[in-house]
Amino acid sequence: MFNRSTIIVIIVALAAGLGLWAVRDHYGKAPTTQWPETQAVRLFDPPRELPAFGLRQSDGTQLVPGELNGHWTLVFLGFTHCPDVCPTTLAQLSQAQKQWTSIPESVRPRVLFVSVDPERDSPDRIGEYAHAFHEDTLAATANIPALENFARSLSMVFVKVPPPEGVPADQYSVDHSASMAVLDPQGRMSGLIQPPFDPNAIAADMAALTRATAP
C-alpha cells in the first residue's frame, strides 16, 4: 500500500508532467525564429502573458509583473530547507551569473528564487539564503494561494509533504518542479530550462537573448 507521502509525490510528478505536456502542446515543438539559437533554453512561440501576481521580496517590497520588465529572468521555485536540488541549482545559477558581469546592469539577466514554503521562509530568510549564492539573485515568497496561482501560471507545481511518523511536524518537506521558467523583457513566459543544468550553456543563452533584445 502507498502511504500518504508517496501518493502526494506521485500526484506532484504526474501534475508536473501534465503541465509540461500542456505547455508543449500549446506552444508546439519549434522555437520562435526571431531569437538566436539556444542550447539550454527551450523557447516558445508565441510567449505567454502571465496573469497578475504579487510576491513579497526579501526587502519587503512587492514584486509585481511590471518590475520584471526590461530583463530576461530565470524563475526557480524552491525552499531554504531543501536538502539538495535547491542549493545545487542556485550554485549552478551563480556560475552563470558570474559570466554576466560585463552586461550592463540595466539589461543584465536576472535570477528570481521563489520560496514555496512561506510557513518557514520569511522574506529575510530567503534573502539571506539566495544572496549567499549570488548577491544579485532576487528572492520572494507569498501566501500559499498566491504561490499556487503563480506556479500554475508557469506550468509548475509544488506540494507540502508531511514528515514520517514520529518526526516533528515542522520537519516536513516540499516537493516542487525542478525546471526553470524563462521570462522575456516584457515579463512573458517565453521558455523553459529543464535539468540537468549546464551553467555555461545557460549563461551563453541568456547573454545571447539579452543582446537580441537590448535597445
Side-chain angles (χ1 to χ4, degrees):
M1 298 280 301
F2 292 124
N3 59 33
R4 182 182 178 190
S5 296
T6 302
I7 292 173
I8 291 173
V9 172
I10 292 173
I11 291 173
V12 171
L14 289 173
L18 289 172
L20 182 57
W21 175 85
V23 169
R24 288 176 172 170
D25 183 64
H26 179 73
Y27 290 110
K29 296 181 179 180
T32 179
T33 56
Q34 66 175 305
W35 305 126
E37 184 176 351
T38 55
Q39 305 171 64
V41 178
R42 181 180 181 276
L43 294 165
F44 301 150
D45 183 17
R48 182 174 68 197
E49 296 285 348
L50 296 184
F53 63 84
L55 306 176
R56 188 181 180 192
Q57 298 190 82
S58 57
D59 62 2
T61 61
Q62 284 292 109
L63 178 67
V64 295
E67 293 189 34
L68 296 177
N69 289 358
H71 304 258
W72 284 88
T73 304
L74 297 177
V75 183
F76 175 66
L77 305 185
F79 61 114
T80 66
H81 288 75
C82 180
D84 41 37
V85 173
C86 301
T88 298
T89 300
L90 288 172
Q92 292 171 322
L93 286 172
S94 72
Q95 295 177 44
Q97 289 170 284
K98 290 173 183 176
Q99 298 182 49
W100 298 333
T101 54
S102 62
I103 299 175
E105 186 176 356
S106 60
V107 294
R108 187 179 300 161
R110 290 175 167 177
V111 171
L112 171 61
F113 170 70
V114 178
S115 171
V116 291
D117 183 18
E119 184 177 337
R120 294 179 298 191
D121 288 348
S122 65
D124 286 343
R125 181 178 178 85
I126 59 174
E128 292 174 359
Y129 181 79
H131 296 157
F133 294 93
H134 197 283
E135 61 182 5
D136 290 343
T137 300
L138 301 175
T141 190
N143 58 39
I144 292 297
L147 288 169
E148 289 176 338
N149 289 336
F150 181 68
R152 190 179 305 113
S153 73
L154 301 177
S155 298
M156 296 182 180
V157 294
F158 67 91
V159 66
K160 181 177 179 178
V161 181
E165 186 175 353
V167 175
D170 63 354
Q171 299 302 304
Y172 60 85
S173 185
V174 183
D175 284 345
H176 57 88
S177 299
S179 58
M180 287 184 280
V182 180
L183 307 186
D184 68 13
Q186 288 73 51
R188 302 172 299 183
M189 174 90 171
S190 291
L192 281 174
I193 303 178
Q194 300 178 56
F197 301 126
D198 180 340
N200 292 328
I202 292 173
D205 285 357
M206 297 298 283
L209 290 169
T210 297
R211 288 193 297 270
T213 55

